[in-house]
Amino acid sequence: MSIYPKKSYDYCANLFISMPKTSFVNRLDIYLFYILFALILLYKVQLLSPLMVAVFKIRYVLYIYLYLRIAIFYKWELNTKKLLVLIFLYFTIFIAIHTYFLYGKDVAIAGLTRFINVALLAPLASVLFENLKQFQKFINLWLFVIVIGGLTLIYQLLGGDLSWLVESYIASRGILLRFNTLLGGPNTGGMASAITYIIALLIIRPLAVKIVLLTVALILLIFSLSKAAIAGWIIATAIIVCLKVGKRSNIFKINRTKFQKMTTIMIVTLLFIFCITTYSSPIREYIVKYATIALLAFTGGDTGDPTSQSVLEDLSMRMISMTQKGISLAMEQSSFYPLNFLVGSSFGIAGSAAFQLKADVILPHNTFSEIYLVGGILLLFIFGLILVKTWSRLWLLNKVNDYYKALLIVFLTIVAYMPSYPIIYEPILGSLFWLIVGLVANSNFSLKKHSLNGVSISNGVDRQKLINENPDY
């Protein structure tokens, strides 16, 4: 079943009319890009056998091939957004050289490949995508992997053994176990659930597909026992109300039809889950236990774990305490810290790659803190500009069509996760983040291109005025 609507007045249908046909060579490159994206998302499959590790190294070949293709055979303009992403990537090479002189080649190579593994998707997306139909196929693949990840969680909840996937991972919250899945750790699955919720609610059309995705999202939310996941759902819902449901003149003036549709979908999904759980009292009690512990952990209630913190305490620890600890560690290992303040303390001071190779390494669990520690205020400033430019472009494009409104909400929710997790190199959320960054840096998705391609702009928006006021977009 296609996720695309059949009615011509629907916003997704409007996006795909009058799109230029792509060449065979471009379709081949997109197909290889698709395979690369799949290999990144399914990185956990490498744990099956040493042979799979060798197979997954194909992604390096694909990266080299696709970069050579866009460098030699594609005509593309270097706009500000592309330039910022390229500067960010070039700066990481400088950091790797810095790391090499301080800690040797092993730490330098491991740190660099870990740090830019998914960021390299952005320049490819900024050139290869020619229309949103191509981009949507990548979204579909991402959703498919989320569903498979949810099934691996359900399988373990029912007593199944996935020791090859879980390895020696054991974690708990309160008295309940937290499960590793195909998506990674519990927090990854939990945070991905909020993004799945946004996409299912605002982009996917068939009701059956919506229900499946929302059910998987709720399962990942509840059984991840993740405070960040609950926060993500709250943030996503608040942004949806402000941007999707509310009017610009009064964000609390709700469009009744849209509200009824979203409410109906959520009720049907909850009824679907209720019908399943009522057949077995133990399953229902299991869900209630997990949901209760998750909410207690979020609010700082008694979960049975004396070390448990509320979401605000945890966020404060990651943003302030861990950052201070990282700076103290960097100062201890620096002969002249003012220089490190500017250009960072290298990949040898922070991050999971260095953590596996040397002592005296901090895991900040904070994207912004880690960027500062490895690349200094300069890299943090460049990354901040990428965020601002991406947000500003999406903000304008969301006036063009509701599809971009959904992408804007996804982008803002992922950014909201950054103070609590190293999103930029995490394969599941990080790949989607950099894919969106690349999309909005792509000249094929400017306001002028949408106007020329005959894509309708939302009602109440003066098309030409919007273009004239924002010539660079």
Side-chain angles (χ1 to χ4, degrees), residues 7 16 70 82 95 115 177 182 187-188 199 208 225 249 279 327 332-333 364 395 410 426 435 462:
K7 297 179 180 179
F16 302 134
I70 65 174
K82 279 194 186 78
I95 298 170
F115 201 77
L177 284 176
L182 187 66
N187 282 330
T188 302
I199 297 173
L225 294 175
S249 57
Y279 285 104
I327 292 173
E332 289 175 7
Q333 299 185 27
W395 180 254
V410 168
E426 196 282 317
L435 209 64
D462 187 326

Side-chain angles (χ1 to χ4, degrees), residues 375-389:
I377 200 68
L378 288 178
L379 188 65
L380 185 61
F381 178 71
I382 295 166
F383 184 70
L385 287 178
I386 291 173
L387 295 182
V388 171
K389 285 290 184 179

Side-chain angles (χ1 to χ4, degrees), residues 167-293:
E167 295 181 292
S168 58
Y169 181 88
I170 298 176
S172 64
R173 177 148 283 161
I175 58 173
L176 300 175
L177 284 176
R178 305 178 73 192
F179 296 93
N180 207 344
T181 69
L182 187 66
L183 306 176
N187 282 330
T188 302
M191 290 186 291
S193 73
I195 307 304
T196 306
Y197 155 64
I198 297 167
I199 297 173
L201 206 60
L202 302 181
I203 294 179
I204 304 302
R205 286 304 172 213
L207 184 60
V209 180
K210 278 184 183 288
I211 291 173
V212 170
L213 290 174
L214 288 170
T215 300
V216 170
L218 285 169
I219 291 171
L220 288 170
L221 169 68
I222 294 169
F223 291 100
S224 68
L225 294 175
S226 171
K227 291 173 277 190
I230 297 174
W233 277 67
I234 294 171
I235 291 167
T237 303
I239 300 173
I240 288 171
V241 170
C242 293
L243 293 182
K244 176 70 176 158
V245 179
K247 299 292 185 182
R248 280 160 58 87
S249 57
N250 181 1
I251 63 172
F252 300 105
K253 184 178 179 181
I254 296 177
N255 182 304
R256 183 178 298 177
T257 304
K258 292 177 180 177
F259 180 77
Q260 287 175 344
K261 284 182 180 179
M262 288 191 289
T263 303
T264 301
I265 291 166
M266 291 302 296
I267 290 174
V268 170
T269 303
L270 291 171
L271 285 174
F272 177 71
I273 295 173
F274 177 76
C275 290
I276 294 175
T277 57
T278 50
Y279 285 104
S280 173
S281 179
I283 292 178
R284 186 171 63 252
E285 292 176 2
Y286 208 46
I287 291 174
V288 170
K289 282 182 181 179
Y290 268 86
T292 302
I293 291 296

Side-chain angles (χ1 to χ4, degrees), residues 147-165:
V147 171
I148 299 300
L151 291 176
T152 61
L153 171 60
I154 294 170
Y155 181 73
Q156 292 176 85
L157 288 170
L158 296 176
D161 178 28
L162 286 178
S163 55
W164 67 269
L165 173 65

Side-chain angles (χ1 to χ4, degrees), residues 305-371:
D305 182 359
T307 63
S308 179
Q309 296 178 309
S310 71
V311 66
L312 293 178
E313 292 171 330
D314 199 35
L315 191 61
S316 174
M317 182 267 293
R318 298 185 187 212
M319 292 182 67
I320 300 173
S321 302
M322 294 297 289
T323 302
Q324 290 176 339
K325 184 178 178 181
I327 292 173
S328 297
L329 181 62
M331 292 179 72
E332 289 175 7
Q333 299 185 27
S334 173
S335 57
F336 186 63
Y337 188 72
L339 181 60
N340 296 118
F341 172 79
L342 288 175
V343 300
S345 301
S346 84
F347 293 126
I349 203 73
S352 57
F355 187 77
Q356 297 173 354
L357 296 174
K358 62 183 289 291
D360 296 327
V361 176
I362 189 169
L363 295 175
H365 293 289
N366 179 330
T367 297
F368 304 110
S369 176
E370 186 162 335
I371 290 173

Side-chain angles (χ1 to χ4, degrees), residues 403-457:
Y403 190 93
Y404 291 111
K405 198 182 297 293
L407 292 185
L408 174 61
I409 297 168
V410 168
F411 173 77
L412 291 175
T413 305
I414 293 176
V415 172
Y417 284 141
M418 288 185 176
S420 64
Y421 209 76
I423 296 294
I424 57 168
Y425 56 73
E426 196 282 317
I428 301 298
L429 294 169
S431 61
L432 186 58
F433 167 79
W434 287 111
L435 209 64
I436 294 173
V437 169
L439 178 78
V440 300
N442 192 316
S443 301
N444 289 320
F445 302 93
S446 65
L447 289 175
K448 286 184 179 180
K449 283 293 179 71
H450 278 293
S451 178
L452 291 172
N453 287 334
V455 178
S456 65
I457 290 182

Side-chain angles (χ1 to χ4, degrees), residues 96 99-100 104-115 347 353 357:
T99 307
Y100 170 77
K105 67 175 183 179
D106 290 341
V107 177
I109 294 172
L112 177 65
T113 54
R114 174 66 167 163
F115 201 77
F347 293 126
L357 296 174

